[in-house]
Amino acid sequence: NLPIGSGMSVSSGVFTFPTTGYWLIKFYADVRHSSGNMWTEGFIQITGNNGSNWHTVAQGYSNQYDDSNWVYGTVNTEVTMDVEDTSNDKCRFTVAFDESSNGVIIGSSSADRNATFATFTRIADT
């Protein structure tokens, strides 16, 4: 349950930008596995044609090691995106696990902390 600023919007996991420009996008995912030594990958994907095609433009990787209890880790990645058309240029995030049935993305519905989150910062005109 991510708070969205006054301009960003999201629908079905696809983020739409309020204005054109160069945007710094950061993605952080806290993850958990129930056992074993596992890996997790996080991806930032963008489209220039309103979701007809998606391209992975940034990838983060994390190993989680078993301490005979829960296995925790954090994966993060970032990219600068040139948004030239707010109707077509969009982004989304995906997470892949070593064993998809064993991985959990940690989230929080509490407004007092971020567990898994993304930030969007407009840094310049296009």
Side-chain angles (χ1 to χ4, degrees):
N1 189 16
L2 299 173
I4 305 274
S6 61
M8 292 297 297
S9 63
V10 62
S11 177
S12 300
V14 176
F15 289 82
T16 300
F17 297 86
T19 61
T20 59
Y22 288 98
W23 288 80
L24 176 61
I25 305 165
K26 296 181 179 185
F27 176 56
Y28 300 84
D30 285 340
V31 296
R32 180 184 75 204
H33 294 94
S34 60
S35 64
N37 298 329
M38 304 287 177
W39 56 260
T40 305
E41 294 175 298
F43 304 95
I44 299 174
Q45 297 178 314
I46 65 170
T47 181
N49 53 17
N50 197 25
S52 294
N53 298 63
W54 289 96
H55 306 281
T56 299
V57 293
Q59 175 181 351
Y61 180 83
S62 174
N63 282 311
Q64 295 89 48
Y65 296 100
D66 193 351
D67 66 355
S68 58
N69 201 344
W70 289 102
V71 184
Y72 292 92
T74 301
V75 62
N76 60 72
T77 189
E78 64 183 59
V79 70
T80 301
M81 180 178 176
D82 183 6
V83 177
E84 296 176 326
D85 180 344
T86 58
S87 296
N88 289 309
D89 298 341
K90 300 178 182 194
C91 80
R92 69 181 184 187
F93 307 101
T94 59
V95 176
F97 294 96
D98 185 14
E99 293 181 13
S100 60
S101 63
N102 194 12
V104 176
I105 300 170
I106 302 170
S108 174
S109 60
S110 174
D112 65 347
R113 63 186 172 271
N114 289 325
T116 293
F117 63 94
T119 60
F120 301 87
T121 306
R122 188 176 184 277
I123 55 177
D125 291 336
T126 189

